[in-house]
Amino acid sequence: MFRLTIHTAFAAAHNLINYQGDCENLHGHNWKVEVSITTNELDKAGLGIDFKILKRETNDLLKTLDHKYLNELAPFSEVSPSSENIARYLYHELTKIFGSDKVKVEMVTVWESDFAAASYYE
């Protein structure tokens, strides 16, 4: 089994809902995103998946979040746009693209600071 991981980032504003503290106020983050996929097969070039493809698809998805107010976006209309919920959203959306017998999204980790991250996996 092989695990491939990319790192990327996006910036956005949000406020947590039902949170008792400062983060209930509007604020922003420069989120770092780590995406890991697994595969048990390599192609003729010896690749599980081209990093270029994984980065492109992930960055295309992140463009829908970048420099937005997350609370106003459909994926977060009923859930607080916490790092946990962002990681789950990204995992499910990337699974639509990379979910196959050959390639599977293993985990998505969203860092809201250098010292705090949330991961989602199934």
Side-chain angles (χ1 to χ4, degrees):
M1 187 68 78
F2 299 91
R3 176 186 296 142
L4 293 86
T5 302
I6 59 144
H7 293 173
T8 187
F10 74 99
H14 75 156
N15 62 284
L16 298 180
I17 300 166
N18 297 317
Y19 181 82
Q20 307 301 313
D22 290 340
C23 291
E24 200 163 33
N25 298 320
L26 178 63
H27 64 285
H29 296 281
N30 292 314
W31 275 282
K32 296 177 199 166
V33 177
E34 182 177 314
V35 176
S36 294
I37 60 118
T38 58
T39 183
N40 58 5
E41 291 182 28
L42 301 180
D43 64 15
K44 291 178 184 176
L47 306 176
I49 187 170
D50 191 330
F51 283 123
K52 201 168 26 177
I53 294 169
L54 183 56
K55 287 179 194 176
R56 182 187 67 227
E57 295 296 335
T58 301
N59 286 331
D60 284 351
L61 177 58
L62 293 181
K63 285 178 188 175
T64 67
L65 306 179
D66 191 44
H67 285 82
K68 302 286 190 323
Y69 175 41
L70 300 181
N71 296 66
E72 293 180 341
L73 301 180
F76 307 106
S77 64
E78 296 184 21
V79 298
S80 188
S82 63
S83 293
E84 293 87 342
N85 283 327
I86 295 167
R88 178 174 46 194
Y89 166 72
L90 295 173
Y91 177 95
H92 286 144
E93 292 302 305
L94 290 168
T95 295
K96 292 176 186 176
I97 300 165
F98 296 111
S100 71
D101 292 338
K102 181 182 174 193
V103 176
K104 179 186 182 316
V105 178
E106 180 185 46
M107 181 168 29
V108 174
T109 300
V110 175
W111 293 83
E112 68 175 42
S113 75
D114 289 338
F115 308 103
S119 298
Y120 185 83
Y121 61 95
E122 293 181 357

